[in-house]
Amino acid sequence: MDRIQTFKTPSGDEMVIMPKADYDQLLAEHDGESKDNGTRDARKVLCRVQAGTEPLIPVEVYKMNKIEGLSRIRAWRSYRGLSIAALAHKIKKSQPYLTQIENGTRKGTLATMAKLATALGTTVDCIMD
């Protein structure tokens, strides 16, 4: 259940989007068809989402990564509207170095990945392929 998204409707209702398989599992567990009580886990995840501690991946980033085949860093960079030069400047790294990380021909250090995540407004685990 790492792909849950929330949004508010124009009328102010809070809505949740989740994969159908996760929804079906929640229903089965709620109806007592499963020994594992996933409803409790789902509530914990929802609490983390509401507290802002559960990372969310916007559907646009997900599509760019999974459907278009872009790396997660490139998908987040595109989503944020940043050029590679602007992102490199923001994290104080060279553009060729960042291009290599983005293309997967080079691995960034944990410190670099943390800077990238911060600059992209997400978490390290959301940008790691």
Side-chain angles (χ1 to χ4, degrees), residues 31-85:
D31 292 336
E33 295 175 13
S34 173
K35 292 179 184 175
D36 177 29
N37 188 354
T39 305
R40 191 173 333 132
D41 293 339
R43 286 188 183 122
K44 288 179 186 177
V45 171
L46 181 58
C47 286
R48 290 195 307 268
V49 167
Q50 290 170 336
T53 59
E54 181 75 16
L56 298 176
I57 299 176
V59 69
E60 296 88 354
V61 173
Y62 180 81
K63 285 180 181 177
M64 284 187 269
N65 177 240
K66 297 296 182 186
I67 296 172
E68 297 174 27
L70 299 181
S71 71
R72 288 187 184 182
I73 295 170
R74 176 123 188 241
W76 274 102
R77 180 175 61 77
S78 296
Y79 178 73
R80 297 292 186 210
L82 292 169
S83 68
I84 197 150

Side-chain angles (χ1 to χ4, degrees), residues 93 97 101 106-116 124 128:
K93 297 290 180 184
Y97 175 69
I101 293 172
R106 188 172 191 172
K107 292 205 180 278
T109 64
L110 185 55
T112 298
M113 299 308 280
K115 288 179 184 178
L116 278 169
V124 172
M128 299 290 285

Side-chain angles (χ1 to χ4, degrees), residues 85-119:
L87 182 57
H89 178 75
K90 210 171 186 182
I91 66 166
K92 297 179 176 37
K93 297 290 180 184
S94 72
Q95 185 175 335
Y97 175 69
L98 182 55
T99 299
Q100 291 172 342
I101 293 172
E102 199 174 85
N103 292 336
T105 57
R106 188 172 191 172
K107 292 205 180 278
T109 64
L110 185 55
T112 298
M113 299 308 280
K115 288 179 184 178
L116 278 169
T118 300

